[in-house]
Amino acid sequence: MKADAKGVLTGAHYLDGDHACAEGALAAGCRFFAGYPITPSTEVAERIASRFPLVGGLFVQMEDELASMAAILGASWAGKKSMTVTSGPGFSLMMENIGLGAMTETPCVIVNVQRGGPSTGLPTLPGQQDMMQARWGSHGDYEIIAVVPNSPQECFDLTIEAFNLSEKYRVPVMVMMDECVGHMTERVDIPAASELEVYNRKLYDGPKDQYLPYKVENGNGQVPLMANAGDGYRFHITGLTHDERGYPAMNAEVQQQCVSRLMDKITGNAADICRYEEHRLKGAEVVVVTYGISSRVTMRAIELAQAKGLSVGMFRLITAWPFPEKRIKELAEKVKSLVMVELNMGQMVHELERCVAGRAKVFLSPHAGGWVHDPDDILKLIQEAAK
Amino acid sequence: MRTEIRFSGLGGQGIILSGILSGKAAALFGNKHATMTQSFGPEARGSACSAQLVVSDEKIFYPYVTRPSILVAMSQEAYQKFSPDLAENGILIIDEDLVTVNDTNGQISPLAIPATRFAEGLGNRILANLVMLGFFSAATEAISPDSFKKAIPGSVPERFLDLNMQAFGRGHSYGTESAAERTRQIRLKA
């Protein structure tokens, strides 16, 4: 369906990534925010706090990030599209309740404007060091979705996408920004509400005494229908392993069904979820795989490499999780080598290596964070990878 | 064509706003791409602070300024810190009451304006950044004054809009009328 015009600030704007993310949330229909301010994500919260009163949203500054995450889960069950925003240290604190969100299949969006870590690390400087934590940070087996914008325009677009995916697949979706993209200001075009597609959760509307909150209807992609609290349906939600009724059923058989479905609903729909951008891949011998701010730095290195006559292209992750495994495997069959450029000491490169599985050479351009790569360093690695 | 510009001064002088207004003017009203990045943290709140702007006819990938062809300096500290990075034949623009140019090889010939003094003449020194933007627009032609005039409304407090437009106009007319003459009056210290 189309977006609610009330939240859509249609027009051309000059916004930083943080503010663009906030506008994306408003356009997507987010009307509940709970968070605790942390650099470099605070501007997202500030803008939401100033805009929410105009659209009937509720902004709550919580006591910490544990509570923030818990609050957005509760608000989601009350029928609101909900979001929180943080950076590394807060992201760590959210992990337990992100698992609760995955287990209870609660639509919500978590924005992480990444800074350098570990611990409090570099509050005002960039990193892309939470990419594996996004996937594996909470205990147990589950799948999540994570998108990685590389411009303020994409901060807007992908925040809407994050809400749509979270509502469609009933899963916490992470918007993995970085300090550079969050604090970079560019033109952001916000279309008319009538041109913005938003997805709202599918609700159960059958007889009140027959609602099974975790029963999967045929044709709904492994995703059960939701009922919002207060709509008159009586049901139970728990982080314990549960059956179709939502009640604890702690045995191996139900665990197998429950966990498998949590994973299958994402991996089985990866083709629908995964987005990526390919640049000059045709005939390329070397492919640089990258994401977020690193993709924009890589573009300069690729221009330098092409000027030297090297056959090099770029594959940009827009969805980091689920990882675009199928496409990477296809590319690995065709190219000499793949180079990962990321602002960490090697995270997504593990996933790349897993998918490439020896079909081509894999190189990593690591960086501890605090600033972006020197394009010349990337160029040198491309030259080595082309040998 | 890619143009790299750095606005610099002290936190509180409206340096970041200068970057935002210039980027907004170029990207929304000048038919260009414009990416603005800024110093963030304690330096943006009191010491040497800067806003970097890349303006281009084409889509901008690498967002950072490495060798600016235009440097605007509104404090001595900012001038000392950032002038070594200015490109050869680059344009240096200074607030002449706040910056003393001590370029030893004589390569840099700044365009100078008493922006803060003019702002005080308009009633408030806080307008110095708008005076400077007007001068910048006249002196460099990187971003047109018409684009600036469209960009300013909505980016400054409504009740001070007229004053900001006046400040911009003051800097712009000074730039068009006497930039060349002013330049000659700067004594380069040997």
Side-chain angles (χ1 to χ4, degrees):
Chain A
M1 68 182 288
K2 303 300 178 191
D4 172 8
K6 208 164 46 173
V8 184
L9 202 65
T10 302
H13 305 270
Y14 200 58
L15 296 179
D16 72 13
D18 280 4
H19 285 175
C21 168
E23 289 302 331
L26 281 146
C30 175
R31 294 295 181 268
F32 182 88
F33 178 99
Y36 187 86
I38 181 170
T39 302
S41 74
T42 305
E43 292 90 335
V44 183
E46 281 177 343
R47 190 164 181 114
I48 286 186
S50 70
R51 292 266 288 133
F52 257 18
L54 308 173
V55 303
L58 181 62
F59 176 99
V60 188
Q61 181 166 324
M62 302 298 293
E63 64 269 37
D64 61 29
E65 289 87 349
L66 290 86
S68 303
M69 190 62 219
I72 70 164
L73 295 181
S76 183
W77 277 101
K80 297 288 182 190
K81 290 188 186 177
S82 62
M83 178 169 93
T84 188
V85 174
T86 191
S87 189
F91 201 49
S92 292
L93 293 175
M94 289 176 180
M95 282 302 146
E96 182 183 0
N97 281 330
I98 286 173
L100 180 62
M103 186 60 149
T104 55
E105 301 181 67
T106 308
C108 59
V109 171
I110 300 122
V111 177
N112 178 354
V113 187
Q114 296 172 87
R115 62 195 223 184
S119 189
T120 31
L122 299 168
T124 64
L125 297 171
Q128 295 178 314
Q129 300 165 356
D130 308 341
M131 299 306 295
M132 279 290 169
Q133 187 183 21
R135 170 67 187 87
W136 303 104
S138 200
H139 55 277
D141 286 315
Y142 61 97
E143 290 272 346
I144 51 92
I145 297 172
V147 295
V148 202
N150 81 343
S151 67
Q153 181 69 54
E154 272 198 358
C155 290
F156 175 82
D157 297 338
L158 292 183
T159 301
I160 296 176
E161 176 96 352
F163 274 98
N164 288 348
L165 290 168
S166 77
E167 293 282 315
K168 187 172 184 181
Y169 292 107
R170 287 190 55 182
V171 67
V173 177
M174 312 193 180
V175 181
M176 300 299 286
M177 292 164 56
D178 54 66
E179 187 276 338
C180 295
V181 168
H183 284 159
M184 166 196 296
T185 307
E186 288 185 331
R187 179 179 173 131
V188 176
D189 287 302
I190 299 183
S194 60
E195 293 165 25
L196 278 177
E197 279 298 328
V198 300
Y199 192 102
N200 296 329
R201 64 191 67 173
K202 286 189 180 166
L203 294 170
Y204 178 79
D205 59 1
K208 292 214 158 52
D209 56 350
Q210 287 173 32
Y211 178 52
L212 294 170
Y214 291 100
K215 180 177 167 55
V216 178
E217 305 286 339
N218 285 337
N220 203 31
Q222 301 267 57
V223 184
L225 297 176
M226 233 173 142
N228 293 330
D231 284 354
Y233 294 95
R234 188 176 170 200
F235 55 95
H236 186 75
I237 308 161
T238 177
L240 291 168
T241 297
H242 43 267
D243 59 19
E244 288 181 342
R245 297 173 304 143
Y247 286 100
M250 287 166 286
N251 60 68
E253 190 190 348
V254 175
Q255 169 78 353
Q256 177 69 32
Q257 288 168 359
C258 181
V259 172
S260 297
R261 193 175 55 70
L262 290 183
M263 303 186 74
D264 291 349
K265 71 175 179 178
I266 305 301
T267 53
N269 290 298
D272 175 53
I273 298 166
C274 273
R275 288 179 55 197
Y276 46 81
E277 181 183 77
E278 299 184 343
H279 175 77
R280 291 209 193 185
L281 285 196
K282 202 176 174 191
E285 288 185 0
V286 178
V287 173
V288 184
V289 182
T290 181
Y291 54 91
I293 185 59
S294 298
S295 67
R296 298 182 59 158
V297 178
T298 294
M299 274 302 288
R300 173 167 275 193
I302 284 182
E303 284 165 5
L304 296 171
Q306 284 167 347
K308 288 182 182 294
L310 293 170
S311 168
V312 55
M314 185 172 87
F315 182 92
R316 177 166 74 91
L317 301 172
I318 297 173
T319 312
W321 304 110
F323 194 73
E325 186 164 344
K326 184 162 169 280
R327 184 61 183 142
I328 291 289
K329 284 176 176 168
E330 286 169 8
L331 287 174
E333 296 285 356
K334 296 178 190 161
V335 304
K336 185 186 279 182
S337 46
L338 296 106
V339 176
M340 174 61 81
V341 179
E342 52 185 343
L343 271 188
N344 54 54
M345 299 308 280
Q347 294 198 6
M348 297 307 287
V349 70
H350 296 303
E351 193 67 4
L352 181 65
E353 282 173 332
R354 183 184 70 77
C355 295
V356 172
R359 294 179 187 90
K361 285 190 279 186
V362 174
F363 293 80
L364 167 68
S365 184
H367 194 299
W371 190 230
V372 295
H373 287 78
D374 182 338
D376 286 334
D377 291 341
I378 302 171
L379 173 64
K380 280 179 204 149
L381 196 60
I382 291 171
Q383 287 173 312
E384 196 186 326
K387 278 178 192 163
Chain B
M1 198 184 85
R2 179 185 173 105
T3 307
E4 297 189 353
I5 305 161
R6 173 173 274 128
F7 298 93
S8 65
L10 291 170
Q13 279 184 313
I15 300 300
I16 307 296
L17 181 62
S18 299
I20 290 173
L21 281 171
S22 303
K24 184 181 172 189
L28 267 50
F29 306 108
N31 203 24
K32 306 252 189 198
H33 295 271
T35 303
M36 202 278 291
T37 53
Q38 66 196 71
S39 51
F40 189 86
E43 67 270 30
R45 296 159 174 84
S47 71
C49 133
S50 73
Q52 290 77 236
L53 185 68
V54 179
V55 180
S56 177
D57 297 317
E58 285 150 25
K59 188 170 179 186
I60 296 162
F61 290 101
Y62 191 76
Y64 299 110
V65 164
T66 47
R67 205 95 182 113
S69 58
I70 303 170
L71 171 64
V72 177
M74 293 185 65
S75 78
Q76 189 66 27
E77 190 185 350
Y79 163 72
Q80 301 287 11
K81 185 173 175 184
F82 297 117
S83 62
D85 291 337
L86 185 61
E88 209 173 325
N89 301 318
I91 301 170
L92 171 66
I93 300 175
I94 59 167
D95 184 319
E96 65 184 51
D97 293 342
L98 303 178
V99 176
T100 304
V101 171
N102 50 10
D103 175 51
T104 47
N105 58 22
Q107 291 244 323
I108 296 174
S109 52
L111 304 176
I113 178 172
T116 306
R117 202 189 325 147
F118 283 175
E120 283 166 350
L122 288 164
N124 197 332
R125 64 188 308 165
I126 206 165
L127 296 162
N129 59 342
L130 268 292
V131 175
M132 186 55 101
L133 284 180
F135 184 70
F136 161 83
S137 166
T140 68
E141 295 176 352
I143 300 162
S144 78
D146 284 348
S147 298
F148 270 110
K149 284 173 189 165
K150 290 176 189 161
I152 295 167
S155 295
V156 299
E158 183 70 37
R159 65 188 192 282
F160 297 122
L161 178 59
D162 284 350
L163 213 47
N164 277 279
M165 294 299 259
Q166 274 178 46
F168 180 84
R170 181 80 175 92
H172 187 263
S173 56
Y174 185 81
T176 47
E177 286 160 18
S178 61
E181 186 192 341
R182 283 274 123 187
T183 305
R184 285 193 294 275
Q185 291 178 7
I186 295 293
R187 301 263 182 267
L188 298 183
K189 286 184 184 170

